[in-house]
Amino acid sequence: MTTTATADDRDDLSEFGYDQQLHRSLGKFESFAAGFSFVSILTTIFQLFGLGFGFGGPAFFWTWPAVFLGQFFVALCFAELAARYPISGAIYQWSRRVGGEVIGWFGGWFMILAQMVTASAAAIALQVVLPSIWGGFQVIGEDTDLTSPSGAQNAVLLGSVLLVITTIINCLGVKWMSRVNTVGVVCELIGVIAVIGVFFTHAQRGPDVVFDTGTPGEQPGYIWAWIMSGLMAAYVMVGFGSAGELAEETKNPRRVAPRTIRLALSVSALGGGLMLLGALMAAPSLTDGRLASEGLPYVLDSVLSSPWGTVLLIDVCIAITICTLAIQTACSRLMFSMARDERLPASKVLSRVNPHTGTPIWPSVLIGLVCIGILVINVGNSAIFTTLASVCIILIYLAYLTVTAPLLYQRLKGWPAQSNVVDAEGRPLFSLGRLGIPVNILAVGYGALMIVNLSWPRAEIFNPTGEYPILQWAGPISIVAVIVAGALCFPRKRTHPKPVTIGA
């Protein structure tokens, strides 16, 4: 890697053996928006608040800063790699360059599957909100609950329509995607501030509520709150590395991507933490069971008049839309990056970039079809929704570990060898310096512990209805199945470009 500033990002990319095919038009805010909209606290907290509260009571709040701290260690490692390898397909490219072809393949494999399932799970969230806005959105049956047969089927219908829309937007090009995403992120930020304001101005109890470890009918204590309800925060705070996925479409990505990776996670953590605290303070009751079963919509409906509550719910729908869009976009760039290296079937088609839009269209189409297929499989099987969310997050954490673990090994061997590498503007790249090894150790340890916690065979998580006992083991089974499938699909031949050295 050169130690002087390059005159053009196109030349910067050529150092890795790639041509500039994607349109490079994203600025700082668009890059931030990609990561923030993937996390999408309005979408995920509205969807999963009940999960955390149901298992840990008000004290589950403390799992939020705990998970943020662990993920921030991961984000710091990602930021350092994003500065040195500003290439589409971030997780795949980073894991490949620090761990070799096999680890890189599995990093990309885990992440592609995880992102497709995550996009499906995000689209499902429309069912939590749209029927509350207008009963006409409940097209199938009358029961809107996701765990009911009619609620599950209606969620599949609404989610499929959303995936068709996001696929069309992605096919139109990155400019259209960024415009929609930017407007959506602005709306989501306004919505987050508004929700926090509503909750705090309608508080019925003080912030000391977060020290209450009780749940209706039992006193589980902090251990239960931290281990079980911590899954909610783990489900939410992922995807902050999306800025790296769009590196080849970002201006001066060596400087912009590392900053926006850290910023997207930090802003999401701050906004989400205030939303959780505000909801606990404003909820009409902590013991009637409704907060666990209905989540944040219950609190909003209780403290806000109908017109303004409806406006905020519409804002949540916008957040769900851009979240699904961002996930699909990130996945399409990852698929494009792997296909460009001839690591996937039909690589020639999947790596083709439309010259007019500067977008790899076929990956977006394929991802949209697969996501809809995942939803269709769930028709009539309401128990699968929570299982889906759990499995896709396990795969994301596995993908993260394929980056942080080999990176730690490389650090112990002396990486990075050069400290005077600069970006396109001549400024030093982001670096952890002497903190690199301890931060990396904490990132690996956190990731390994969270994978165990996420995949632990709990009936309450994987088989809440008790109808399908096999689902309780969905975590371990999924890990084994995905690894075996990945080994069978691994391309044996060496492909272009050859792996670069890790010396930089």
Side-chain angles (χ1 to χ4, degrees), residues 41 64 68 192 196 237 265-276:
I41 52 177
W64 187 262
F68 164 68
V192 168
I196 293 171
M237 280 187 272
L265 177 61
S266 300
V267 172
S268 298
L270 176 61
L274 291 174
M275 283 178 62
L276 295 178

Side-chain angles (χ1 to χ4, degrees), residues 125-419:
L126 281 181
Q127 179 64 24
V128 181
V129 183
L130 279 181
S132 300
I133 296 174
W134 178 50
F137 285 116
Q138 185 64 32
V139 180
I140 302 174
E142 298 180 355
D143 194 339
T144 63
D145 196 322
L146 267 176
T147 60
S148 68
S150 63
Q153 293 171 26
N154 200 67
V156 170
L157 175 62
L158 296 178
S160 297
V161 172
L162 175 57
L163 285 164
V164 170
I165 294 172
T166 57
T167 299
I168 292 173
I169 294 173
N170 263 317
C171 290
L172 291 175
V174 70
K175 286 187 177 180
W176 278 100
M177 184 283 298
S178 64
R179 287 169 183 166
V180 173
N181 202 40
T182 298
V183 172
V185 165
V186 171
C187 291
E188 181 168 4
L189 287 170
I190 294 173
V192 168
I193 295 171
V195 169
I196 293 171
V198 167
F199 287 162
F200 276 86
T201 54
H202 291 79
Q204 299 194 23
R205 56 193 68 83
D208 59 341
V209 65
V210 299
F211 296 102
D212 181 0
T213 61
T215 56
E218 58 182 89
Q219 292 291 327
Y222 277 101
I223 297 298
W224 185 261
W226 278 65
I227 294 178
M228 280 288 282
S229 61
L231 300 183
M232 178 265 179
Y235 291 164
V236 175
M237 280 187 272
V238 294
F240 45 84
S242 292
E245 299 287 1
L246 298 174
E248 292 181 32
E249 295 155 278
T250 304
K251 300 172 185 177
N252 194 9
R254 290 183 185 274
R255 183 166 184 81
V256 172
R259 177 187 297 169
T260 53
I261 287 173
R262 306 191 309 273
L263 186 61
L265 177 61
S266 300
V267 172
S268 298
L270 176 61
L274 291 174
M275 283 178 62
L276 295 178
L277 177 60
L280 292 171
M281 293 170 60
S285 173
L286 300 177
T287 58
D288 63 0
R290 294 189 64 185
L291 194 54
S293 61
E294 301 176 40
L296 295 194
Y298 156 65
V299 184
L300 274 181
D301 289 342
S302 302
V303 303
L304 210 57
S305 61
S306 180
W308 288 110
T310 301
V311 169
L312 285 177
L313 290 177
I314 291 174
D315 198 40
V316 174
C317 290
I318 294 173
I320 293 170
T321 300
I322 64 167
C323 176
T324 307
L325 176 64
I327 297 170
Q328 187 180 21
T329 303
C331 188
S332 69
R333 300 313 186 262
L334 172 57
M335 188 175 289
F336 160 76
S337 184
M338 295 184 71
R340 182 174 55 183
D341 287 353
E342 299 179 15
R343 312 305 283 169
L344 296 174
S347 287
K348 289 184 178 180
V349 175
L350 294 175
S351 62
R352 191 178 301 158
V353 176
N354 185 290
H356 300 292
T357 63
T359 301
I361 291 177
W362 288 111
S364 297
V365 173
L366 177 60
I367 293 164
L369 291 174
V370 172
C371 289
I372 292 174
I374 292 172
L375 293 182
V376 171
I377 291 173
N378 300 315
V379 174
N381 188 355
S382 58
I384 203 72
F385 286 116
T386 305
T387 302
L388 260 182
S390 302
V391 168
C392 69
I393 300 302
I394 293 171
L395 294 179
I396 289 179
Y397 274 81
L398 280 171
Y400 287 179
L401 200 59
T402 64
V403 175
T404 56
L407 177 61
L408 176 59
Y409 174 73
Q410 295 294 343
R411 286 190 196 277
L412 295 174
K413 292 172 61 178
W415 186 90
Q418 299 174 341
S419 59

